[in-house]
Amino acid sequence: RGAGENRDEVVLDFRESDDPDGISVDSDGFTIENLTVKNVVRNGIIVNGAERVTFRNLWVGWDDDDVLENNGAYAVYPVGCDQVLVEDTEVVAAADAGIYVGQSTKIIVRNNVVHDSVAGIEIENSDDADVYGNETYDNTAGVLVFVLPNLDKKDGNRTKVHDNDIHDNNHPNFGVEGTIVSN
């Protein structure tokens, strides 16, 4: 948890880091809130195989407008998780998905702003996702819901996408060649 009064007061800038992921977690009951994570090589915050995961009041992204192709793939990235909440977070300039939730269950993605990314919000091979109150703009695509082959979880069920402001998503695609979103 950031110690400041808002997410701008505690900034973790990974521009000089050799670690490809900014924050990597694989334990249950993880909450990250009230801080900024930026300029990570690959993924801003990745949580793998955990239960009760919360991302709240964050700014995660890349702030060098001249080198989009060097931006990391995912900003907020829970995968294989159960009981995921992503709220009140701003994501900027992810080279794949700003907010990605994959192969997970019981998901709420609400009241976030995602812009200047390839995919704004992506729900992939997941069950019981509720995506609402978000704004996505200036991405290549605003919101994507996928069921892709060749993953451990083979299906996705009961995703609701409603009451979002999805507009002006015609940003040039700077996804890494060969990835699903680059197409």
Side-chain angles (χ1 to χ4, degrees):
R1 174 179 296 148
E5 292 187 27
N6 62 56
R7 64 187 178 201
D8 301 325
E9 292 184 35
V10 176
V11 177
L12 304 176
D13 190 339
F14 291 87
R15 187 180 310 271
E16 302 299 322
S17 176
D18 293 330
D19 200 353
D21 295 320
I23 298 170
S24 181
V25 177
D26 61 3
S27 62
D28 295 340
F30 175 74
T31 296
I32 185 165
E33 60 187 351
N34 205 31
L35 56 87
T36 292
V37 175
K38 66 182 191 172
N39 302 317
V40 177
V41 171
R42 187 171 55 201
N43 303 304
I45 308 164
I46 181 170
V47 181
N48 209 331
E51 293 183 7
R52 300 176 320 281
V53 177
T54 300
F55 302 83
R56 180 182 295 122
N57 192 31
L58 304 169
W59 188 99
V60 185
W62 293 262
D63 60 4
D64 189 349
D65 294 333
D66 296 330
V67 289
L68 290 177
E69 65 274 2
N70 293 328
N71 289 9
Y74 302 102
V76 173
Y77 187 25
V79 64
C81 295
D82 183 51
Q83 301 173 51
V84 176
L85 173 62
V86 183
E87 66 180 354
D88 302 320
T89 292
E90 182 176 2
V91 174
V92 180
D96 198 303
I99 297 173
Y100 168 96
V101 183
Q103 301 182 68
S104 296
T105 59
K106 299 179 202 137
I107 304 149
I108 297 173
V109 178
R110 67 179 174 208
N111 304 328
N112 303 289
V113 177
V114 185
H115 56 94
D116 298 297
S117 297
V118 175
I121 298 170
E122 182 176 334
I123 307 296
E124 184 177 278
N125 293 54
S126 291
D127 294 334
D128 302 308
D130 199 5
V131 180
Y132 64 92
N134 303 288
E135 182 180 17
T136 63
Y137 65 92
D138 285 340
N139 304 290
T140 303
V143 176
L144 302 172
V145 178
F146 284 145
V147 174
L148 296 177
N150 303 320
L151 297 175
D152 291 338
K153 184 172 180 344
K154 303 294 183 198
D155 61 3
N157 299 286
R158 297 174 302 280
T159 294
K160 296 186 295 183
V161 178
H162 60 95
D163 300 307
N164 297 285
D165 188 3
I166 303 167
H167 61 92
D168 300 308
N169 288 289
N170 296 313
H171 192 287
N173 191 332
F174 60 97
V176 174
E177 190 172 330
T179 62
I180 294 292
V181 296
S182 71
N183 293 324

